[in-house]
Amino acid sequence: MTGPLPTAVRSAGSGDPVLLLHGIGGAAASFDPQLAGPLADRYRLLAWDAPGYGDSPDPVVLPGPDPMDLLADSALAVLERAGGPAHVVGVSWGGVIATRMALRRPELLRSLTLADSTRGSGRTAAGRSGMTRRVEELATFGARAFAALRAPRLVGPDADPQVLARVTGIMSGVRTAGYTLAAAAMAATDHSAQLSRIDLPALVVVGEHDVVTGVAESRALAEGITGAGFAVVAGAGHAANQERPAAFDRILGGFLAGVRPATAVAR
């Protein structure tokens, strides 16, 4: 299959659409705090399950297409079905997909928010090998043990144990097909030289204690995108939108409120 892959989408609220793209160990449920929060009073929130995650079917992908292009086109298809253009918010791996969306079809995006994200794991040899190692760990240990091993690194040092349990529970649902595609896409991607092409209102957000992608990497993203804003979520780790949802939503909501209304956007 080389066309957009089928995906399930959770929705909440009404208003201008905001597409939410989860991280490599997440699912649409990673955005439950946003779907149930104040952002849904002002926007139509669309949280996807990426191909092979949550309620989306496992991908059947033949060799050939760039895996990140395939994922970006699948997310762009969600925007087209929603009547696009839309604000796009990507967390971690979801932010890399969002970046590729902005590069491929900028007319379908009203704004771009990258949360605890990266330029892509293909930027370094260590990043590429790390993605291969993650897939091997998932196959060796199984999803539950894999999540127990990795999830504690996604939250800050003072995280609520209930938040850690929730993040671990979501990661325990990852499946081999979806994760393998995601890891291959990350290992093949380095957006460093392309960020300057992005001409959209943009915001980069990162948790203060993110040890997965890190504050320095988020600063590099913000510096690479002309005019991008930069914000730190105090006290949060990599899963900032889940660990400190009120602070995350305030930052995101303030940014979205400053983007011109859809009627004023001319492409």
Side-chain angles (χ1 to χ4, degrees), residues 7-220:
T7 56
V9 178
R10 294 189 188 185
S11 64
S14 61
D16 290 343
V18 179
L19 179 62
L20 306 170
L21 306 176
H22 61 79
I24 196 169
S30 302
F31 292 107
D32 280 354
Q34 283 67 52
L35 296 175
L39 289 175
D41 294 334
R42 297 161 55 191
Y43 300 97
R44 181 187 175 202
L45 303 181
L46 305 169
W48 87 334
D49 281 316
Y53 285 79
D55 292 331
S56 294
D58 286 348
V60 179
V61 182
L62 299 176
D66 180 315
M68 192 60 75
D69 279 351
L70 181 61
L71 290 165
D73 288 348
S74 300
L76 288 163
V78 175
L79 296 191
E80 290 180 320
R81 290 196 299 271
H87 303 285
V88 177
V89 179
V91 171
S92 193
W93 166 59
V96 185
I97 298 172
T99 300
R100 185 64 61 89
M101 293 169 69
L103 292 167
R104 286 175 72 76
R105 297 286 304 278
E107 73 277 5
L108 284 179
L109 279 70
R110 291 193 53 214
S111 72
L112 175 67
T113 299
L114 307 177
D116 298 277
S117 193
T118 170
R119 290 166 286 181
S121 298
R123 192 172 62 83
T124 65
R128 292 190 293 273
S129 64
M131 282 296 135
T132 300
R133 188 166 58 251
R134 286 195 199 185
V135 173
E136 293 171 349
E137 289 176 355
L138 176 59
T140 299
F141 300 122
R144 288 184 180 276
F146 178 77
L149 177 70
R150 298 199 66 86
R153 300 185 70 240
L154 302 187
V155 298
D158 299 319
D160 185 327
Q162 291 185 343
V163 173
L164 174 57
R166 189 171 178 282
V167 170
T168 304
I170 293 171
M171 188 180 287
S172 296
V174 298
R175 305 196 300 274
T176 301
Y179 201 93
T180 300
L181 174 60
M186 284 292 283
T189 298
D190 177 9
H191 285 141
S192 300
Q194 298 168 284
L195 295 176
S196 61
R197 290 173 41 203
I198 295 174
D199 184 20
L200 291 165
L203 172 67
V204 178
V205 186
V206 63
E208 177 186 11
H209 302 299
D210 186 341
V211 297
V212 178
T213 53
V215 175
E217 179 65 10
S218 285
R219 286 192 185 278

